[in-house]
Amino acid sequence: METINSISYPIYFNNSLAELANFIKAGNYTKFFILIDEFTGEHCLPIVQKHLGEDAVYDLIEVAAGEENKNIDFCIGIWKMLIDFGADRNSLLINLGGGVITDMGGFAASTYKRGIDFVHVPTTLLSQVDASVGGKTGIDLDSIKNIIGTFTQPKAVFMEHSFISTLPARQVLSGVAEMLKHGLIADADYWNKLKEADFTQPSADLVHRSVEIKNDIVIEDPKEKGVRKALNFGHTIGHAVETWSLDNDKNHLTHGEAIAIGMICEAWLSWKKNGLSEANLNEIVSTFRSLYPAYKISADCHKDLFILMQKDKKNNGNNINCTLLTAIGKCSIDHICTEEELCNSLNYYSSL
Amino acid sequence: METINSISYPIYFNNSLAELANFIKAGNYTKFFILIDEFTGEHCLPIVQKHLGEDAVYDLIEVAAGEENKNIDFCIGIWKMLIDFGADRNSLLINLGGGVITDMGGFAASTYKRGIDFVHVPTTLLSQVDASVGGKTGIDLDSIKNIIGTFTQPKAVFMEHSFISTLPARQVLSGVAEMLKHGLIADADYWNKLKEADFTQPSADLVHRSVEIKNDIVIEDPKEKGVRKALNFGHTIGHAVETWSLDNDKNHLTHGEAIAIGMICEAWLSWKKNGLSEANLNEIVSTFRSLYPAYKISADCHKDLFILMQKDKKNNGNNINCTLLTAIGKCSIDHICTEEELCNSLNYYSSL
Ligand SMILES: NC(=O)c1ccc[n+]([C@@H]2O[C@H](COP(=O)([O-])OP(=O)(O)OC[C@H]3O[C@@H](n4cnc5c(N)ncnc54)[C@H](O)[C@@H]3O)[C@@H](O)[C@H]2O)c1
Ligand SMILES: NC(=O)c1ccc[n+]([C@@H]2O[C@H](COP(=O)([O-])OP(=O)(O)OC[C@H]3O[C@@H](n4cnc5c(N)ncnc54)[C@H](O)[C@@H]3O)[C@@H](O)[C@H]2O)c1
Ligand SMILES: [Zn+2]
Ligand SMILES: [Zn+2]
């Protein structure tokens, strides 16, 4: 499968872990570090170590798994470990994990000594098709998702499809939501292909196509001034639902489950305000409903969700901004939605 | 006095606060915020407010003054205030203060929502001639100076010379140390002019010349890959002494006092290793000795100072890197110094 060239770095698909070993050697780094969580330490690190060889010398930095740990406390922990291990400006950080690890590791590296090199080895489907590509780094603060971060590109991304095989089914489905989004905003054929795919283990070809779609968009608009906002489809409402669930629900939603809800709501808004056909709306809704369990969002929470949307970094001033579909495979950005419209879309979701 | 053009932004000297008011109007920001500490709130804010006019609407963010507060806790405080005040991506942060405010405010702004606009209104001599120019942002962590930060340029810098008049004498002298450094590394004529200057209130012309020297260097090498290291003269040892003093001394050194010590030590190393004449060394030493009180650094602390130098972000691996003079007005970068040489330079300082 072809290597994809992003803004300033390559995304490897073939023999990617061998490529990682080559990259480290060629880079002449004084030291390198691998950032893991307990699950990627168990399932993915041994495979990486095999490729690095027995005499590779590096330090491990481990953080606790989970979105609730993508915060400034763990970030400070990473910075302090880098200090203690003597990481200098010519050091490399390898982020081995899902989106939590790639986002937080990218942020820590981009701010340590005003920026050291980092690469991503994404180990979840979601981080392969989405989080590892595009240069957004970030952590959550005060229950606001990714509110602190930078735009900093990794030096390379290494896609290892076999990592997906140890991923829990629910985490695979979380990534599938972003793949479906790629079809909805940019490629109706790909959407149709996905509908027939094996969602327990999406093929490497499908992953490659998703990365291609995301990469084409971010290359055109790295800092999200315009077209990149297409990727926010489902995320205005989805992020608020995700945050709410993280704060209130012990068994909280995954990122994909939350944006699947967001995509249903925003598809409804697309039908209401943006010319999406009723047939398209129904097709979208039934696809997501067949994949993701219904989630109870009581009307009492609508106000809280609205406040969360106002704090979201996608929104300017008091306006809530959505990306809406015009058809399956096509979208348009910068639609201002009122509190009432957003509530109605949540009511629609609850009525299904 | 001429406006100086930096990497991507102007540095205003004439009617700078009127220029600030124009800049805010022209920028069409949704909101703006002014970051102050208790002293700039008292001495400088009223003057800024007069220029902004009575109907200007903005929020104040106040942090406690002092280097010991240039840390992640206060930075989190700034981020949270921005969240609570509803700062969106199209907001502006105005950093009104010394180097602590411009460094920390620049870092907070460059990472809030992956980067919002900020400008500097430096109110100390040191921040005018040094900290506000060149795009380095940062905070301290674990007693390491500026270990966390970004390279992010402000949108503009506004130099108001009258602010210097309320500055305590010791703070004025702190800035003078950086001005003398500019002469030593780049301009012997300027050094000679400075020696005859009124150090209680250096003229606006001298400030302008210092900014010019610093700006010429950072434009050539924004990310400190090479020539910008010239500005580190006195800072390898100076930063270690400053950190040590912050940690151990209630009435700790100012930045300028610490780097004045660093410059004496590194001038000695320049004489020892880099062809600086003995006459030049003596001239440098007597200039700094006449301006700054002697500071006791017992030989017991040399080991601690050396460990601090190793953690400094200027150093790669285990090598300690210094910028050394060849003559007054000329320097060369990347001199590796051994622990013994560094100790001997500290002994030299103590023997004076
Ligand atoms: N930067 C971006 O552009 C971007 C885009 C989308 C999402 N994100 C972020 O990504 C995060 C979600 O990513 P995620 O879903 O990968 O979360 P995650 O990193 O929390 O991973 C999910 C779980 O899977 C485990 N895991 C990872 N790889 C495994 C493997 N190979 N085998 C077994 N278990 C494994 C992890 O330990 C974790 O428990 C969110 O924080 C979201 O904001 C960022
Ligand atoms: N970014 C860079 O390139 C760069 C360069 C040099 C120094 N620095 C940083 O700058 C910091 C030192 O800067 P500083 O010396 O300005 O420190 P500072 O900001 O602590 O200011 C010194 C003191 O003067 C007070 N003050 C400020 N303006 C005043 C005024 N007009 N009248 C009365 N009091 C006033 C402040 O409240 C403070 O108490 C250090 O943290 C250093 O690392 C950064
Ligand atoms: Zn997403
Ligand atoms: Zn300095």
Side-chain angles (χ1 to χ4, degrees), chain B residues 215-291:
Chain B
N215 190 53
D216 286 348
I217 294 172
V218 299
I219 281 182
E220 217 182 306
D221 175 23
K223 293 223 167 167
E224 199 167 306
K225 307 279 182 202
V227 290
R228 185 170 179 164
K229 294 185 193 168
L231 294 165
N232 291 336
F233 176 62
H235 282 64
T236 301
I237 293 175
H239 265 166
V241 171
E242 183 180 11
T243 302
W244 186 89
S245 144
L246 276 164
D247 284 350
N248 295 286
D249 191 347
K250 241 178 75 184
N251 182 26
H252 59 75
L253 294 171
T254 63
H255 180 70
E257 287 164 352
I259 65 146
I261 296 170
M263 285 191 277
I264 290 176
C265 295
E266 294 178 27
W268 183 85
L269 288 166
S270 304
W271 165 75
K272 195 85 185 163
K273 292 167 65 93
N274 207 34
L276 183 73
S277 73
E278 191 157 1
N280 275 183
L281 172 64
N282 292 335
E283 179 179 336
I284 294 167
V285 170
S286 69
T287 304
F288 285 117
R289 295 262 299 160
S290 72
L291 287 168

Side-chain angles (χ1 to χ4, degrees), chain B residues 26-227:
Chain B
N28 260 317
Y29 291 101
T30 23
K31 298 192 177 183
F32 72 94
F33 303 87
I34 306 183
L35 181 67
I36 51 173
D37 64 28
E38 61 268 34
F39 301 112
T40 64
E42 181 187 343
H43 297 296
C44 311
L45 184 62
I47 304 170
V48 171
Q49 280 170 326
K50 217 160 49 195
H51 282 87
L52 297 184
E54 281 185 0
D55 43 345
V57 180
Y58 53 87
D59 290 297
L60 288 176
I61 302 179
E62 185 173 322
V63 295
E67 181 70 30
E68 58 278 23
N69 301 313
K70 191 176 129 182
N71 59 32
I72 189 67
D73 295 327
F74 271 97
C75 184
I76 293 171
I78 297 170
W79 286 331
K80 290 192 178 187
M81 297 276 271
L82 289 170
I83 294 173
D84 289 345
F85 286 138
D88 63 24
R89 278 186 178 164
N90 191 35
S91 298
L92 172 71
L93 182 67
I94 298 170
N95 299 313
L96 179 66
V100 166
I101 292 289
T102 57
D103 276 15
M104 183 157 61
F107 179 65
S110 73
T111 50
Y112 180 75
K113 299 199 178 197
R114 299 201 184 91
I116 61 171
D117 283 2
F118 63 92
V119 296
H120 294 320
V121 186
T123 64
T124 63
L125 182 61
L126 185 117
S127 60
Q128 292 191 353
V129 299
D130 194 353
S132 65
V133 176
K136 283 189 180 179
T137 79
I139 55 173
D140 309 335
L141 183 72
D142 250 8
S143 292
I144 320 286
K145 292 260 313 163
N146 304 323
I147 185 84
I148 305 303
T150 60
F151 283 105
T152 315
Q153 306 300 328
K155 292 293 165 197
V157 178
F158 304 91
M159 300 285 183
E160 179 56 38
H161 192 251
S162 69
F163 286 151
I164 309 304
S165 64
T166 56
L167 206 59
R170 205 178 153 198
Q171 294 300 339
V172 174
L173 277 175
S174 181
V176 165
E178 299 284 3
M179 297 170 82
L180 290 165
K181 181 192 77 181
H182 292 145
L184 288 177
I185 60 172
D187 184 346
D189 285 351
Y190 180 56
W191 164 265
N192 288 326
K193 233 182 246 158
L194 280 172
K195 283 201 303 174
E196 274 143 43
D198 170 10
F199 286 127
T200 61
Q201 285 290 315
S203 72
D205 281 334
L206 292 172
V207 171
H208 190 272
R209 178 64 192 135
S210 256
V211 172
E212 222 167 40
I213 293 173
K214 169 145 193 196
N215 190 53
D216 286 348
I217 294 172
V218 299
I219 281 182
E220 217 182 306
D221 175 23
K223 293 223 167 167
E224 199 167 306
K225 307 279 182 202
V227 290

